Structure formats: C-alpha cells, structure tokens
Amino acid sequence: MPLINVEQVVLDLTGADRHEATRTLAQRLVASGRCTDIDLFIADVQERESKMATGLPGGIGIPHARSAAITEPSLVFGRIADGIDWGAKDGPARLVFLIAAPADGGDAHMQVLPQLARALMHNDFREALLNAATPEEVVAIVEEHVQLKTEQPAAPAAQAPAAERPAAAATSAVAAPAAPAADVPGATASESSPAAPAARPLRFVAVTSCPTGIAHTYMAAEALENAAREAGHQILVETQGSAGSTPLSPADIAAADAVIFAHDVEVKDRARFAGKPTIDVGVKKAISAGPQLLIDAGNLAAAWAADPSRATASASATPVPSESSERKGFGTRLQQWLMTGVSYMIPFVAAGGILIALSFMLAQIALGQNGAIEIVKYGIHTQDAAFDITQNFNIASLTSWAGLLFVIGSASFGFLVPILSGYIAFGIADRPGLVPGIVGGALAASMNAGFLGGIVTGLLAGAVAYWISSWKVHKGVRGVMPVVVIPLLSTFITAGLFIAVLGRPIVWLMTAMNDGLNGLTGAGVLLLGLILGAMMGFDLGGPVNKVAYGFATAGLAAAGASMDAPQLKIMAAVMAAGMVAPLAMALATTLRPKLFSAPERENGKAAWLLGASFISEGAIPFAAADPIRVMISSTIGSAVTGGLVMLFGATLRAPHGGIWVLPLIGQPLLFVLALAIGVAITALLVIVSKSIAARNKLAAQASAQSSAPVAV
C-alpha cells in the first residue's frame, strides 16, 4: 500500500489552529481505513506536540505520532494558503505533513519516513509542493523523493568510510562568526569566539534523536550533513530513530575532531564519546542552526587542541546536562534515578532469589520438612566446620548441592543494597557516583538499614559526587580528579554522614516498617494486597505500576533467607496482579471477539503469552483504544488478585517470570486461584462495559435515523 495517495492530499487546508487542522488531515486516514480510532490518534499526536511543537523553519509543520489506532505507515499532506501557527519561530506553516506510524513501527515503511524528513530540508522539494496544482502532482512529487527501495542509496561523500577520508588533526577552527556561549552547553565564551580560517576540512560525528524518532531525528541529520557539505567538512551522523540505528564505529569516533549531540531523549551509550569535545543541544537547534553548530564544534575542537589535558579531564567527568534533561521536573528525574538503581539490582535479586528457592526445594527433599531450616546453617568459613561448604562439598550429596545453592544465592543477595545505592548515584552523577554509592550501600547493609538506607546513600552519594565533579580546578589537578579526588571526598562525605547522622534514624524506620509488615494480619494483609494490586493494574507498566514493583523487589533484599517473610508475600501479590490485565484482555477477545477490532483480536492472541510471562504491557493496546473501561476493569481485577494472594499467604522469591517460576512459588495452587479470579473479574467487567457501550451506540444511531427528514 502506498504511503500517500490522492485522497490523502488537502490543497486548501483550513483550521482555527493547528489542532483543528490536524484533525481535518486525520479524517482522511479514517476515510482510507488506515486509522481505526481518530480520537486516540489525535490524542497521541497532541501528546507528542505537548513535548515539543512540530513547526519547523521554512513554513513547515510535521505533526506526527506512533499510535495503536494506525494500521499502516501513512502520510497526509495539507497546504494552507495563509498559514497556521505551528510553533516555529520564523512564522506560520504553509506545508503540513501529518505522519502516522503504527505503535510497533516494525514495518519496512518505517524506512521511508526518514526520507521525507530529509526531503523537507531541501528548498526545491518545498517549492514544488507549494506550486503543485493537483493532488496527483503532490503524490508524484512526494513519491519522487520518498519511496520504498530494496537497496539503500550510496552514502554521500560526507559519509564515506573512515578509511577513505583524508587524515586530519584537530589544529584549527572553522572560520565564521560564532554564537554566544550560552547557546552551546559546555562551551565557554572564549571557545565560541571567531577563529581563523580552517587550513583543512574537519571531521565531525553526531548523534540525533527525538522522542518519537520519526521526523526531527532525520531532519536534524540532514541539516548537519548539508551544513558540513557546504562548509567543506566531513560528518557522520548516527540517527537513533524509528528506522533503526547503525552505531558509529570506534574508529570514526576516535578520528573525529568534535562531537555534536542534537537530541531530546538520552543518547544511547554516551560513554563511547568520552574524552571528545562535545556540543550538546536539543534536536531542533540542529535543524534551525546546523552551520552554526559546526562553527561552534570547530572552535571547541581548536580550544581542546590547545589544551590537551581537557580530554583526560572530560573522559570521566560528569556530562553536561542536555536541554531535554533540564526540562524534566525534579519528580521525574528522581523517579528515573530510583528506577536506574532498581533495574541494575533486579538481576542480583533474580539470581539470588531463584538459587535460594531451589536450595530450599532440594533441602526439603534431602532433609525432610525441616530441610529449609537446616540448610541456612551452611556458609563459608563457618564456626561449625560441618557446615563449611568449601570443606564438606560432596558431589553425590543432595544436601551439599542444596547448601552450595544457598551459599551462592546468599552471596548474590549481599550485593542488593550496594548495587541499588551505587546505580542510583550513577544515575545522578554518572561514573563518579559509583564508588561512594556502592560503599555507602555496603555500609547501609551492614547497619541493617536495608533498601531505605540504600536509597538514601545512593541519592546522597550522587549529589555529592556531582557537586565535586562540577568544581573548577587548576588544569594540573584535573587529571587526578576522577581517579583520586572525587572518589576520596565523595566516599568520605557520604559514608561519614550516614554513619554519624543518617544511619540510626533510617535503621529505626526500617525496623518499624518490618515490624509493621510482620504484624499485619487479616484486614491489614488484605488491604496491602488490594492497594499493591490496584497499582499494578492501574497504568500497566507506567509510573504507578513501577512504584509498586520497585517496592516489592526492593523488599526482597530485606527478606534475606527467611522462608516466610512478608516481603515474599508482597512479591507474589505484585507478580500475580501484574499478570491479570493482559490475560483478561486475551480471555475477553476470545469470549466476545465482536466487541474488539481486528488489531485488538490479534493483540489478544499475543496477550496470552505476555500475561503468563508477567508482562503487564501486553494490555496497553487495549487500554490505549478504550482507556476508561479497560483501566477501571484492570484496576479492580488486579486489586482482587493482590488482596487474595496476600490473604492466602503465597510467597515468591523471584522478581519476574510469571508461570515459568511457578515451582518456586509458595502455595502455588492458591496463587493460581487468586490469579484466575482476578482475570475472570477483569474480563467480565470489560465485556459488560463494552457491550453496554455498543448497545448505546446502536440505539443512538437508530434514533438519529428515525428523526432524519424523509425525502419526497
């Protein structure tokens, strides 16, 4: 199916504002069958617009979004005689392309969208569209520049492989007026001053990325490539967008005089560029001021060439925050820091928890009902030599294998709090935060401050390391800052404050929390399960879901080797509740397929496996299409499951896995029963609410038809 046809061209587009104009364009997608829910698609487009206006210099508007309501990657073109304000600084947009992509974005057509973004950067393409007299002309113009190809065109000269490019050294700057230093994060005023003409071409590498990876990513790349070509320089651009990304090679990065980051989402694997002079701006800056960015990058490269110590100092210094990160609120950044720590901790939880659970299973087989109690006596260099696994391991003994698994699992658990703390600090301060964070976390664990202590030491260590990294020091000291000064001072401050001031109150709070959990009975247990279950079912992998999951996985650290700790019940309740929504949607599409669209029925088939594997996101396509009914039903059903699992006393040591870790679940039959009840409730609520809505819609249509005037 072609990306654009004559039905998707509006030569006389009008509208009170860009939102009304976007809806007019989207109606063409509905008419062609490429959009199944215009309200959902418009909501996705507006959500994208809320992050950053999509108006571009030159009178262009490119509203775009990925959406579950889109069945086929599509373009709709609109031309506005008087223009409509689309958020660009240079005036209203006269040419508008509505870019619609399916939520999965996996089709080969996704290779076409970057071509459009690049074509829009050329004057001849824009002029042809402005002068086109018919929709057929527009389609022909677009297809001339934007089409599916079985082979990619040869790379332009500016993107030749490193081996084919002439060697160059960072010895001179680009000749052109410079921008104010404030426009270039990380560059000082002296580095952005006018420079002498360049004696030879410079080499640059760049990374471009935007939130959806559809348009701005590739337009920024095209703008930088055009600017480099016109200035006689060479540039390689890594586009981290929807069409995939071919990473820059280490050789290309090493040969570059400077690096340009033009992005509104975090650059992937940013550490590759450590030690290189770097310009860091938002993606729209590259589109509107590509030539100036190359000038600034050239001036910065010249300044670094004059002071080689800067490369050593920057190799492990804290990166300058990008424009996109500075726009995030503190609450969002705090959540990201905490989830960074949790994400690095989870593999230790999984390895340790599953090994300990397997140990208990083998111990009960080998030693009977009290096997799990006996096996916790095993260790390394124990007071009783009979339980020293290093001296008494017998390959033919089931007890020895159980003891070995317990010792290894316990060792993995010993890293939970230090890793949590270390990577929270890493999220704040990058590498400088690791040493104080891990040391602080280890002290928190030794003081029995648990995961709360790990969170506090992680935040404290990150803040202190970031602060020290920002110090302006003499260039003779820069080389030892990341190796000696930052880890020494940040570790001393973090550990000293925690031991002397913060540790004891946090230990008291952690003890009170554990006592409170251990003391929960009856209604208290049920209420906690209901709350956690509702959180898991509310936004299906969103922030609320992640808070409940993070609470459960962090609590596993406090459970230690205990067989019946309340934290193990919490983990079981959270996992079961997180499985409810996708399984319920799969069941509902099986029982009443006519209530769902064809794409939803296909998603329902996949949701069986996703739900069984504890992937709550399997229900997101359904929630996106019908948020109120699905989210209310999911929240109720998941809350029931969470409450029942807590009430039944099911336990779980593994932080993930779904049915695949069923042998490791305490009270597995009751766990499955609670899950089945929640799935049945959610599916029933969805079916009933959708059936009522369908009947009301039919009644409204019948009423409208009966009241319509009859032609005579």
Side-chain angles (χ1 to χ4, degrees):
M1 185 178 290
L3 199 68
I4 187 171
N5 55 44
V6 293
E7 294 178 355
Q8 291 163 212
V9 176
V10 184
L11 294 180
D12 54 352
L13 180 62
T14 58
D17 56 25
R18 66 178 187 266
H19 302 302
E20 185 176 319
T22 300
R23 179 171 286 274
T24 300
L25 296 175
Q27 287 169 348
R28 296 299 181 100
L29 293 176
V30 175
S32 64
R34 300 183 183 214
C35 177
T36 59
D37 186 335
I38 190 171
D39 291 329
L40 172 60
F41 176 55
I42 291 297
D44 290 333
V45 173
Q46 291 181 350
E47 193 273 336
R48 172 64 185 86
E49 292 274 340
S50 69
K51 295 178 181 176
M52 181 176 65
T54 54
L56 297 172
I60 300 170
I62 50 167
H64 58 275
R66 298 175 184 271
S67 176
I70 298 299
T71 61
E72 186 80 15
S74 306
L75 297 177
V76 187
F77 172 75
R79 189 171 67 194
I80 311 164
D82 298 324
I84 292 177
D85 178 20
W86 226 276
K89 294 181 179 179
D90 67 336
R94 294 186 61 198
L95 301 176
V96 178
F97 274 100
L98 175 62
I99 307 175
D104 55 18
D107 195 275
H109 284 76
M110 293 305 294
Q111 298 291 336
V112 174
L113 300 179
Q115 296 179 38
L116 172 66
R118 290 174 178 270
L120 283 168
M121 299 304 297
H122 295 280
N123 290 330
D124 58 346
F125 180 69
R126 298 197 299 269
E127 287 297 323
L129 291 173
L130 285 170
N131 297 324
T134 65
E136 288 80 7
E137 275 190 64
V138 171
V139 172
I141 293 166
V142 173
E143 289 183 342
E144 181 183 352
H145 291 79
V146 182
Q147 55 187 310
L148 283 171
K149 296 181 180 180
T150 55
E151 295 182 3
Q152 293 297 319
Q159 298 190 49
E164 300 174 7
R165 297 197 301 264
T171 57
S172 62
V174 180
D183 288 342
V184 187
T188 64
S190 62
E191 292 157 4
S192 293
S193 58
R200 47 84 189 165
L202 295 174
R203 293 181 181 178
F204 301 106
V205 292
V207 176
T208 62
S209 64
C210 65
T212 57
I214 292 177
H216 290 83
T217 298
Y218 305 101
M219 297 179 82
E222 183 73 8
L224 290 173
E225 289 165 2
N226 290 341
R229 191 178 300 113
E230 292 170 4
H233 301 307
Q234 298 168 344
I235 190 168
L236 283 169
V237 184
E238 179 180 318
T239 52
Q240 297 180 355
S242 61
S245 175
T246 301
L248 293 162
S249 71
D252 287 325
I253 296 172
D257 294 303
V259 178
I260 297 172
F261 291 150
H263 63 121
D264 286 311
V265 294
E266 288 305 313
V267 173
K268 299 174 184 175
D269 199 8
R270 188 174 182 140
R272 295 173 291 163
F273 305 92
K276 286 287 181 181
T278 301
I279 300 294
D280 192 327
V281 297
V283 67
K284 291 185 76 171
K285 186 76 171 179
I287 298 172
S288 61
Q292 186 62 59
L293 287 183
L294 294 182
I295 293 169
D296 295 331
N299 289 335
L300 189 59
W304 280 51
D307 183 5
S309 66
R310 296 185 61 170
T312 303
S314 74
S316 57
T318 304
V320 176
S322 67
E323 290 183 1
S324 60
S325 66
E326 289 175 346
R327 286 198 297 265
K328 295 173 183 173
F330 176 77
T332 301
R333 285 182 288 164
L334 177 62
Q335 180 189 355
Q336 290 177 340
W337 299 333
L338 295 177
M339 291 311 300
T340 298
V342 170
S343 66
Y344 279 98
M345 181 189 73
I346 284 175
F348 291 86
V349 175
I354 292 174
L355 286 170
I356 290 175
L358 291 173
S359 167
F360 288 166
M361 290 172 60
L362 293 180
Q364 288 180 320
I365 295 172
L367 302 174
Q369 188 174 359
N370 293 327
I373 298 175
E374 292 296 318
I375 210 67
V376 300
K377 298 177 182 178
Y378 280 82
I380 296 175
H381 302 314
T382 57
Q383 290 183 347
D384 188 341
F387 296 108
D388 188 337
I389 196 66
T390 62
Q391 299 181 25
N392 297 290
F393 181 76
N394 180 356
I395 195 171
S397 169
L398 202 59
T399 302
S400 290
W401 282 106
L404 180 65
L405 291 174
F406 176 77
V407 170
I408 298 173
S410 298
S412 179
F413 260 34
F415 288 97
L416 299 189
V417 175
I419 292 299
L420 173 67
S421 175
Y423 280 94
I424 290 174
F426 175 81
I428 298 172
D430 208 78
R431 290 185 184 181
L434 279 175
V435 173
I438 291 176
V439 172
L443 287 170
S446 66
M447 293 176 64
N448 295 320
F451 76 91
L452 284 181
I455 291 173
V456 171
T457 54
L459 294 173
L460 177 61
V464 172
Y466 188 90
W467 170 57
I468 298 175
S469 299
S470 67
W471 290 358
K472 303 298 182 184
V473 298
H474 189 274
K475 64 180 182 180
V477 183
R478 291 174 190 162
V480 298
M481 283 291 290
V483 180
V484 178
V485 178
I486 297 175
L488 173 65
L489 293 181
S490 60
T491 301
F492 173 74
I493 294 172
T494 301
L497 281 174
F498 191 79
I499 292 172
V501 181
L502 301 173
R504 282 173 291 180
I506 294 172
V507 170
W508 174 86
L509 181 59
M510 193 70 187
T511 302
M513 285 182 58
N514 287 331
D515 290 344
L517 289 175
N518 289 322
L520 283 177
T521 58
V525 170
L526 178 62
L527 179 61
L528 180 59
L530 288 170
I531 293 172
L532 291 173
M535 293 173 69
M536 289 300 294
F538 176 68
D539 56 356
L540 307 171
V544 176
N545 174 287
K546 288 292 189 291
V547 168
Y549 181 67
F551 174 72
T553 53
L556 288 178
S562 172
M563 295 176 295
D564 195 35
Q567 290 86 353
L568 304 183
K569 299 175 184 177
I570 290 172
M571 189 70 249
V574 164
M575 181 177 289
M579 297 166 66
V580 167
L583 289 175
M585 295 303 105
L587 178 61
T589 55
T590 302
L591 296 177
R592 292 292 302 276
K594 292 184 179 180
L595 292 173
F596 300 89
S597 65
E600 285 177 324
R601 291 195 291 272
E602 289 301 313
N603 286 327
K605 297 174 184 178
W608 285 113
L609 179 60
L610 295 174
S613 302
F614 181 41
I615 301 176
S616 303
E617 288 84 351
I620 287 179
F622 301 92
D626 192 357
I628 295 177
R629 295 181 185 90
V630 172
M631 290 178 68
I632 290 176
S633 302
S634 170
T635 301
I636 294 172
S638 299
V640 171
T641 290
L644 288 176
V645 169
M646 290 288 287
L647 204 58
F648 292 158
T651 58
L652 177 63
R653 285 190 172 276
H656 220 292
I659 62 169
W660 313 113
V661 294
L662 197 60
L664 307 181
I665 296 174
Q667 305 288 355
L669 295 180
L670 292 176
F671 177 93
V672 172
L673 175 62
L675 175 60
I677 292 173
V679 169
I681 290 174
T682 300
L684 179 62
L685 290 173
V686 169
I687 290 172
V688 170
S689 60
K690 280 183 172 288
S691 297
I692 293 173
R695 284 198 298 269
N696 291 341
K697 183 176 181 181
L698 289 174
Q701 290 174 347
S703 176
Q705 290 173 358
S706 63
S707 62
V710 179
V712 293

